[in-house]
Amino acid sequence: MMTEGTEPVCTGVAADETLAAQHLERDAASSLDAALALATTLHTPGQRERYRRLLERAIEQADRALAAVEQERGALQEHELAAGRERILATRMGARSTLARAHAARAEDALHGAGQLSLSAQRAPTREACDDGWRRAEAIAAGAEASARAAAISATELEAGSPRSKVARAAHAAAHKAEVAARAARRILDERNHAYTFHTDNGFSFGEGWYVAAAAVLEGAAIQVEPGKTGTPQAEAFLRDAGLRDRLQPYRSRPRAVKQTTEIVARAFKAEPSSAQRRLRAAFLGDAPIPESVTGWVDRRLAEARAGEPCRRKVLLWIREGLHHPHRNTTLAELRELTALVQRTGLVPVLTGDALRDGQVPEGAVDMTLFWKDPTFRQLDMRRAQLQFFEHLRRAHGLVGQLGVTTAGMDGPALMGLPTMYLTDAPNVRMREWVGAVPGYQEIVRETGYLERVRRVLLEWAAAS
């Protein structure tokens, strides 16, 4: 008997193995009916959990009904057997039918669970969390396969006893649904991709490519490149030039989350900071001289700004102006504050990154924003050329560090050894992995006195040059 809003229960009998088989079979069928009635509301809070509990009860009670049928059959006297045969057969068929349909529903629910869990595993911020998520998805998929086998057994039993009956046909259909769901759940696991995606779509951060390539250089991470995008040839050229041809694999779905790569890079730097930096510089910059197309472009821009003398030490001030997390964008007020602070410490502020919102360059600053849009830095070697831009500023024009809001564009130069301060409203869990690991990489949280901390670091940069 069921009451509205409650799960089905047996009434008038104790819940143990001595219950009559019919009571158990009816309770199993009621539980399954109650579960299936929730099918259209599983997206609402708490309903899927209730759905699963009802399915488990249906399966448990149906299994107990089958066991009770055999006990009851064995207890019947010879003269009672013929009279009870029809009732025993009906109870057995009902329990088998419930098992087939309940296991099919459970297999399909497991497919849903494996799919949801695989998505969260792909997005996990660390490799450990990613692997743990996939292990749990594996267990769920195995549950789907177990349910598919159980549904098939029940369907086979029913077909053997009554091959043309409506119950047998329904059980066969349920077993087929369970098998399809189990195969789909296993396919999710088979499609798991251990590579990190080197994004070339403009919707993704250009700077995250540095993380992916660095993880491959330092720890052999596998890489896949988005095919058919405007930046695909340039990305592939950069990876080949960095000696990573053997780490490239064909593009597939379900890759690892790029956010994991900052942890990989941090781990290598913590183990051997000088070796990690040396290996990245060799891979990303190569050993050939910086081409004149890059050095000439930088020299001309600084000459135009009358800031080309190497003795005039410089600091990059990064500007971020993006649609993703716009609250992190550079504000003009803070940019002016930082510009003045850099100048008071005797350094020349060089603006880079995105364009200024109002187009007004603070007095005394050198404008090199959007340098990466110049044709010089848009060729096949654009990735390396952009790193060479920073390297030439450092070697020939007294660049001593960089400062700005959290933006992945800063992290290529940081990996090459350029002292870095990034500003953030709260500790950045992902990038904080590099603080204390990547030499000269510092996090500045905007809290009381943060500008004084920036000033002290700027003075250290100026004095150490």
Side-chain angles (χ1 to χ4, degrees):
M1 178 182 298
M2 290 183 62
T3 59
E4 186 177 354
T6 64
E7 296 176 13
V9 295
C10 292
T11 59
V13 290
D16 57 38
E17 291 300 330
T18 63
L19 282 173
Q22 281 184 315
H23 286 97
L24 289 165
E25 186 273 322
R26 288 168 183 168
D27 186 36
S30 295
S31 295
L32 178 59
D33 289 343
L36 298 180
L38 301 176
T40 60
T41 63
L42 296 181
H43 61 285
T44 59
Q47 289 296 78
R48 188 167 290 276
E49 289 75 14
R50 182 164 182 256
Y51 175 74
R52 289 168 178 167
R53 289 196 303 271
L54 287 166
L55 289 180
E56 290 305 314
R57 181 177 180 85
I59 290 168
E60 179 186 356
Q61 296 296 78
D63 280 333
R64 290 178 66 192
L66 290 175
V69 161
E70 295 307 311
Q71 289 183 358
E72 197 171 316
R73 184 174 179 278
L76 290 175
Q77 301 297 321
E78 187 67 29
H79 68 279
E80 298 173 318
L81 191 57
R85 182 178 291 114
E86 184 176 342
R87 175 171 52 80
I88 289 172
L89 180 60
T91 302
R92 183 185 288 124
M93 288 183 67
R96 286 291 183 195
S97 173
T98 295
L99 279 176
R101 293 185 297 130
H103 275 295
R106 189 165 75 167
E108 291 182 321
D109 179 66
L111 170 60
H112 171 83
Q116 293 297 107
L117 194 52
S118 71
L119 290 175
S120 64
Q122 287 168 228
R123 302 185 186 114
T126 67
R127 287 184 293 182
E128 287 77 8
C130 176
D131 292 340
D132 178 66
W134 279 105
R135 280 192 294 270
R136 288 187 287 143
E138 164 75 35
I140 292 174
E145 291 166 338
S147 276
R149 290 191 294 270
I153 290 171
S154 286
T156 300
E157 291 280 345
L158 287 169
E159 288 174 337
S162 182
R164 297 182 181 178
S165 69
K166 182 178 179 181
V167 171
R169 291 197 302 272
H172 178 80
H176 176 70
K177 287 167 61 178
E179 181 182 7
V180 169
R183 286 181 178 176
R186 179 57 56 182
R187 189 160 55 248
I188 289 173
L189 298 170
D190 293 341
E191 290 174 351
R192 182 185 177 185
N193 183 354
H194 289 275
Y196 296 98
T197 303
F198 194 114
H199 291 292
T200 54
D201 189 306
N202 289 335
F204 292 89
S205 169
F206 180 93
E208 288 191 344
W210 310 133
Y211 310 159
V212 174
V217 170
L218 297 175
E219 288 205 12
I223 302 176
Q224 61 178 19
V225 180
E226 289 179 300
K229 305 292 184 180
T230 304
T232 298
Q234 291 88 340
E236 291 175 339
F238 174 69
L239 294 170
R240 288 194 302 269
D241 290 345
L244 298 172
R245 185 189 300 269
D246 63 338
R247 305 313 305 154
L248 286 170
Q249 68 177 37
Y251 186 86
R252 293 192 296 121
S253 62
R254 300 188 182 279
R256 287 178 175 267
V258 171
K259 64 182 72 173
Q260 298 171 21
T261 56
T262 53
E263 177 206 12
I264 296 173
V265 172
R267 189 174 300 170
F269 268 94
K270 288 174 183 176
E272 295 181 283
S274 59
S275 172
Q277 198 160 80
R278 186 169 59 251
R279 290 164 62 194
L280 288 180
R281 286 180 61 83
F284 288 2
L285 293 171
D287 54 9
I290 297 176
E292 195 281 330
S293 59
V294 173
T295 61
W297 190 94
V298 173
D299 294 346
R300 286 191 297 274
R301 289 294 293 268
L302 289 174
E304 291 168 3
R306 298 181 181 178
E309 301 88 343
C311 62
R312 298 190 64 189
R313 298 184 180 92
K314 301 170 183 65
V315 169
L316 292 177
L317 284 181
W318 280 83
I319 298 170
R320 183 189 192 274
E321 183 63 30
L323 297 177
H324 180 65
H325 291 169
H327 62 279
R328 288 170 40 202
N329 287 343
T330 303
T331 66
L332 186 57
E334 186 176 62
L335 180 64
R336 287 173 174 163
E337 212 166 15
L338 294 174
T339 299
L341 188 56
V342 168
Q343 290 171 326
R344 287 198 299 272
T345 55
L347 300 166
V348 177
V350 178
L351 308 183
T352 192
D354 296 320
L356 285 163
R357 196 174 308 164
D358 63 359
Q360 294 182 1
V361 177
E363 188 174 350
V366 179
D367 184 7
M368 286 194 169
T369 56
L370 300 181
F371 80 90
W372 41 273
K373 285 195 172 184
D374 188 274
T376 302
F377 303 99
R378 304 298 293 178
Q379 306 304 311
L380 189 63
D381 65 347
M382 62 183 286
R383 288 271 175 178
R384 177 165 285 182
Q386 292 185 29
L387 289 178
Q388 289 169 335
F389 165 87
F390 302 110
E391 188 66 14
H392 182 61
L393 279 170
R394 189 177 183 188
R395 292 180 189 177
H397 294 284
L399 180 63
V400 296
Q402 58 179 345
L403 168 64
V405 298
T406 311
T407 172
M410 300 173 70
D411 294 329
L415 292 172
M416 299 296 96
L418 185 64
T420 299
M421 285 187 282
Y422 73 85
L423 303 172
T424 178
D425 288 334
N428 186 311
V429 176
R430 180 183 175 194
M431 297 314 302
R432 237 186 159 176
E433 292 277 352
W434 289 12
V435 177
V438 176
Y441 196 81
Q442 300 186 56
E443 177 183 79
I444 306 292
V445 179
R446 292 187 185 93
E447 54 191 11
T448 303
Y450 85 93
L451 288 175
E452 174 57 24
R453 183 181 170 193
V454 170
R455 187 186 72 84
R456 289 197 302 269
V457 176
L458 289 172
L459 288 172
E460 291 172 7
W461 289 354
S465 303

